Amino acid sequence: MARGFLIGILLLAALAAGAIFLGPMLIPAQVYKTEIAKAVEKATGRPFVIAGAVRLAVFPNIKAVVEKSSLGNVEGGKAPQMAEIGRLSVGLKLWPLLTRHFEITNFTLEDASIHLEVDQNGKPNWQFAKPQSTDENKEAGADAAREIKDLNFGDVRLTNGSVSFVNLKTGTNYELSQIAAKISLPNLDAPLKLTGSAFYKGEKLDLTASLAKARVAFAGGSSAFAADIKSALLNGGFDGNATFGENLSLDGATQLSSPSVRKLAHWLGKPISGNTGFGPLNIAGKMHFSAKQIAFEDAKLNFDAISANGHLKADMSGALPHVTGALASQRLDLRPYTGVGKAANSPQADGATPPEWSTQAIDASPLKSFTADIDLAAEEILLRDVTIGKTNAAVTVHDGVLAADLKEMRLYEGLAKGRVTIANRPGGAALNSQITLAALNLEPFMKDAAKTNRFEGLGTFEINLNGAGRSQRDLISSLAGTAKILFKNGAIKGIDLGRIAALYEQLTGKTLGGDKADSSSTEGQGTGDETKFVEMGSSFAVQQGIMRTGDFHMINNVISLSGEGAIDLVHQTIDFRLD
């Protein structure tokens, strides 16, 4: 009897083994296809089609191969399919499953294409219909997740993949091609490592990433995390901690660099005009990232010849991102971005023709996409050919208007204060400036700003101007408002009006300017001649970029002159008549 029972047990074991070996061969492949398609469609709400072969083996290890499968796109989507997979191969060791250990021998995804889209209403195609779920099902799923005791990856890789993104609302589109990736995870308590590469617009991107505590991360906890991206035009890295789960957050050191911002912008489809500036860039600091906030502490910026440091924070919890922070720079060289200006320490010819105003279109529309409150400080600012000294300003952006409140601006020994605003307008920008400047040293300022060394003295300026236009030239052409200029205790070099007055008196017997001139010399004018003055100035009415005055005056101990005329800011010319 015992022998018969033993034989019965052996027969049952043989039948079970036969079922394991022969089951996949006896069940038609179409059954697998149908059941897999139903399961995916139920989970996503999209049609899932397997057009190729399906192969399944369960002993000694589980192995499945699915060829030529696709997941449908949303109705009205640009691409007919959201995802297409050339070949999916999965291998899983059978016996470790009995102890709830998942050992994946291989997971290979070949020739996969994913098409991400955002429709005209801003809805993404990766939002799937939610399947019906009961509390019982949710609890069963949670229990199943907790029952996994270990997980390790053998050969896990992606080859020749592609991902495209199209935003039909904004018109933007991107595509990554030739995507390749490999994942290493010996077990859940070992580090997870990823290496991969992809091509974007002909440039190769190499990516590496590591996660110190895979088990903790998969459970929604925090783990040390590092990632690096390298390419010919863009390099970046992060080294810190990541918190996973519903709300991803990152805290750690980050770095971003490019050998040429100009080439980088061209590669990204945002070419920069001109041929100067926008060279190397390096940004480093401590970053905090979450769904509602990005913050940089101890930030250091090196861009061309500019170096700055400070902190920035972008709060994205409101309708628009709000940027706050403070930046300080020792030397802010803006000359390369204006397309003009002399190189450092280069000579400048007296009377050289100043550069023309740019006709390039001004796009101030980005001012509508965010708000900001930022404090800026610089020890020196180089703009065009003018050197600005210590500067402190508060910059705000609200409702499409950028406002710079000048708390302090040292300009050629003088002090400037005031407020300048630039507002987004259809097809261009609007400018409003209210500035006062006292005790300006006229000689070095005029040498740099107007390419002449013929003026000396201390100047005071009061400027109230506004204008609007599509380009720099249009804006200057539209300027309107008032200006007042007054110079004291100075000189005009290259001309001696006292001698001219004396010569006029000798020839006509009349005095010029109402005072008797000094006739000690009537020699011709030379480069060493000059006319000193106690006071010289005028008030101006500004219209269409032309400053007009009828109260010009100059007073010295020899003569007093009055005059009228105009300064054309557009063509940068002066037309005056003296009486």
Side-chain angles (χ1 to χ4, degrees):
M1 183 176 178
R3 182 180 178 187
F5 180 75
L6 180 59
I7 292 173
I9 294 296
L10 292 175
L11 286 172
L12 288 174
L15 289 172
I20 293 174
F21 279 109
L22 300 176
M25 293 183 287
L26 295 175
I27 300 174
Q30 187 59 43
V31 174
Y32 300 140
K33 290 184 180 181
T34 302
E35 292 304 314
I36 293 173
K38 285 181 178 179
V40 175
E41 186 169 348
K42 184 177 180 180
T44 64
R46 310 270 180 86
F48 184 74
V49 176
I50 301 175
V54 174
R55 293 187 293 275
L56 177 66
V58 295
F59 195 84
N61 294 315
I62 298 173
K63 183 176 182 180
V65 177
V66 179
E67 296 182 344
K68 297 181 180 179
S69 60
S70 62
L71 177 66
N73 203 354
V74 293
E75 185 177 350
K78 185 176 180 180
Q81 311 296 334
M82 178 184 175
E84 299 169 284
I85 301 172
R87 187 174 188 271
L88 171 64
S89 175
V90 180
L92 186 66
K93 288 186 178 181
L94 179 60
W95 299 119
L97 287 175
L98 301 177
T99 57
R100 299 187 295 278
H101 287 71
F102 285 74
E103 295 188 26
I104 299 173
T105 57
N106 75 285
F107 184 99
T108 306
L109 198 60
E110 302 176 31
D111 301 324
S113 297
I114 298 174
H115 307 285
L116 303 177
E117 298 178 7
V118 176
D119 66 17
Q120 295 282 3
N121 298 317
K123 184 178 179 180
N125 69 341
W126 55 87
Q127 286 184 353
F128 297 103
K130 294 182 179 180
Q132 293 183 350
S133 176
T134 64
D135 292 339
E136 184 178 343
N137 289 339
K138 290 180 181 179
E139 187 61 32
D143 289 341
R146 285 191 289 267
E147 287 297 315
I148 298 176
K149 290 191 172 181
D150 206 354
L151 173 69
N152 64 57
F153 294 146
D155 181 17
V156 178
R157 66 180 66 226
L158 168 67
T159 61
N160 196 34
S162 66
V163 176
S164 65
F165 173 80
V166 176
N167 190 321
L168 299 177
K169 186 176 182 179
T170 63
T172 56
N173 63 85
Y174 309 97
E175 182 176 4
L176 290 172
S177 61
Q178 300 181 51
I179 301 174
K182 184 176 181 179
I183 297 175
S184 170
L185 180 64
N187 57 70
L188 281 178
D189 296 311
L192 183 151
K193 296 181 180 180
L194 179 147
T195 59
S197 64
F199 279 81
Y200 180 71
K201 291 188 175 182
E203 292 289 342
K204 186 181 181 183
L205 305 169
D206 290 309
L207 172 69
T208 60
S210 64
L211 188 63
K213 299 177 181 179
R215 185 187 298 275
V216 173
F218 291 164
S222 297
S223 170
F225 173 72
D228 286 285
I229 184 170
K230 297 182 182 297
S231 72
L233 296 174
L234 180 67
N235 296 287
F238 174 84
D239 190 358
N241 285 284
T243 300
F244 298 86
E246 279 190 29
N247 299 312
L248 174 69
S249 66
L250 299 172
D251 285 281
T254 187
Q255 182 268 339
L256 182 72
S257 65
S258 174
S260 172
V261 172
R262 183 177 297 280
K263 292 180 179 179
L264 176 65
H266 185 271
W267 176 53
L268 296 176
K270 303 290 183 181
I272 299 172
S273 61
N275 53 18
T276 60
F278 298 95
L281 167 71
N282 190 288
I283 302 173
K286 296 178 180 177
M287 181 184 74
H288 167 75
F289 168 86
S290 66
K292 294 184 178 181
Q293 187 182 99
I294 301 176
F296 282 94
E297 298 291 339
D298 299 327
K300 292 179 174 58
L301 166 71
N302 290 286
F303 178 39
D304 287 336
I306 297 173
S307 295
N309 58 75
H311 60 90
L312 289 172
K313 181 173 70 175
D315 186 341
M316 295 171 289
S317 60
L320 292 175
H322 181 59
V323 181
T324 58
L327 290 173
S329 175
Q330 191 69 24
R331 190 170 189 258
L332 198 59
D333 189 349
L334 303 178
R335 294 174 298 181
Y337 320 112
T338 62
V340 294
K342 64 191 178 195
N345 302 320
S346 66
Q348 184 72 44
D350 180 41
T353 303
E356 295 183 354
W357 301 107
S358 171
T359 57
Q360 182 180 345
I362 297 173
D363 181 12
S365 60
L367 295 177
K368 297 280 288 183
S369 62
F370 70 101
T371 61
D373 291 279
I374 301 173
D375 291 326
L376 299 177
E379 291 298 315
E380 183 181 62
I381 302 174
L382 305 179
L383 180 63
R384 292 173 72 96
D385 288 321
V386 173
T387 301
I388 301 170
K390 185 177 181 179
T391 300
N392 287 286
V395 178
T396 63
V397 178
H398 292 280
D399 299 322
V401 179
L402 183 151
D405 288 300
L406 300 177
K407 301 176 182 178
E408 174 188 26
M409 177 182 283
R410 297 291 172 177
L411 185 64
Y412 295 87
E413 301 175 25
L415 175 62
K417 294 184 178 182
R419 178 179 174 87
V420 178
T421 65
I422 299 174
N424 174 59
R425 292 292 181 268
L431 170 72
N432 182 277
S433 61
Q434 299 176 350
I435 299 175
T436 61
L437 172 60
L440 173 76
N441 190 335
L442 191 58
E443 183 176 25
F445 174 74
M446 292 299 292
K447 184 177 180 181
D448 287 347
K451 314 302 181 291
T452 180
N453 58 2
R454 296 181 181 273
F455 297 92
E456 292 180 354
L458 296 179
T460 299
F461 297 77
E462 295 179 11
I463 299 172
N464 293 276
L465 295 175
N466 60 79
R470 295 177 178 273
S471 67
Q472 191 182 70
R473 183 182 176 88
D474 289 346
L475 197 151
I476 296 297
S477 300
S478 71
L479 285 179
T482 61
K484 185 176 181 180
I485 303 173
L486 183 65
F487 302 111
K488 290 191 173 183
N489 302 320
I492 303 174
K493 296 180 180 180
I495 185 171
D496 189 338
L497 294 179
R499 292 183 179 181
I500 293 175
L503 180 59
Y504 177 81
E505 184 178 343
Q506 289 178 3
L507 295 175
T508 65
K510 300 178 181 180
T511 59
L512 183 63
D515 296 313
K516 186 174 180 61
D518 179 5
S519 58
S520 60
S521 175
T522 59
E523 296 179 4
Q525 305 304 307
T527 57
D529 295 327
E530 64 178 24
T531 299
K532 293 186 177 181
F533 58 82
V534 176
E535 181 177 291
M536 179 175 69
S538 179
S539 59
F540 293 88
V542 184
Q543 286 293 332
Q544 297 181 336
I546 300 176
M547 302 172 61
R548 291 185 172 87
T549 182
D551 64 358
F552 173 82
H553 64 280
M554 185 182 74
I555 302 171
N556 69 8
N557 58 357
V558 177
I559 59 173
S560 296
L561 294 177
S562 60
E564 61 182 13
I567 300 176
D568 189 337
L569 298 176
V570 181
H571 301 97
Q572 303 180 69
T573 60
I574 299 176
D575 181 15
F576 257 76
R577 187 187 72 187
L578 298 178
D579 297 321

